[in-house]
Amino acid sequence: AILLLGAALRFSFPTADPPWRTTVGVVWHDEGAWTHNARNRALFGEWRLDAWNPMFVAPVFTALEYGSFATFGVGTWQARLVSEVAGMLAVLLLGLGVGRVGGRLAGLIAAAWLATNYVYVMYDRAAIMESLMAAFVVAGWYGFVRAQREPMWGLFAGAAAILAYFTKAAAIFFIAALGVA
């Protein structure tokens, strides 16, 4: 039920304009800029057509955006699909991870909070890289939690941390945190 509610909040009216007034400092018009190279590849067969090339800064995000465009066509809802799916993955893995650490009720509460948190839902409804980065961070943390009893999950945690970094370099903190832990 929590996942269905989270999905309804993220996938309903996917082309609706984002909030016009935000308190979290989000620049919503970044959607076009960060999907630029993926769109170029899907429409014109070339990654680079001009001097604006954020694919070098966010290659994982760009690749997944291209996958969405190549599969479903180029448009607003297709661009936002990557963030929406990533947000749902984060809800699921946060619930499962907290459930392992703090019990089933704690996991359900954590998943419900993330599924319905206004700021996180709004990030997940925009084609910006923060949702994907956060989803990889949550996936890495989930792998870290699992690695406490099954060490092979440490590889999953490390891979997720690296994917987070190559989605948005601000995730370098997470790689450092895993290393320290």
Side-chain angles (χ1 to χ4, degrees):
I2 292 168
L3 290 176
L4 289 175
L5 175 61
L9 292 172
R10 283 160 181 79
F11 294 101
S12 296
F13 308 107
T15 59
D17 289 337
W20 67 274
R21 187 175 187 183
T22 180
T23 59
V24 294
V26 176
V27 182
W28 298 114
H29 63 268
D30 279 0
E31 287 183 297
W34 289 106
T35 61
H36 177 75
N37 294 114
R39 181 205 62 210
N40 286 347
R41 176 72 177 164
L43 291 178
F44 308 113
E46 296 290 331
W47 291 101
R48 298 174 61 188
L49 294 176
D50 54 29
W52 176 247
N53 295 297
M55 68 183 176
F56 298 120
V57 177
V60 174
F61 181 75
T62 301
L64 291 175
E65 286 292 333
Y66 170 69
S68 180
F69 291 156
T71 304
F72 302 111
V74 176
T76 302
W77 73 265
Q78 295 91 329
R80 293 176 177 174
L81 186 62
V82 171
S83 295
E84 292 165 349
V85 170
M88 289 307 302
L89 180 67
V91 169
L92 175 65
L93 293 179
L94 182 73
L96 292 173
V98 171
R100 282 184 165 272
V101 172
R104 186 168 190 252
L105 179 60
L108 290 170
I109 291 169
W113 177 82
L114 195 59
T116 60
N117 178 272
Y118 176 78
V119 174
Y120 193 66
V121 170
M122 291 300 107
Y123 268 103
D124 289 351
R125 289 181 54 89
I128 52 181
M129 56 191 165
E130 284 79 5
S131 289
L132 185 60
M133 178 198 71
F136 283 129
V137 168
V138 170
W141 174 79
Y142 175 74
F144 177 78
V145 168
R146 295 283 310 257
Q148 304 306 308
R149 293 197 179 159
E150 304 165 73
M152 289 301 293
W153 277 92
L155 295 173
F156 176 83
I162 290 168
L163 288 170
Y165 173 75
F166 283 105
T167 298
K168 186 170 183 177
I172 191 69
F173 76 90
F174 188 64
I175 294 175
L178 281 180
V180 169

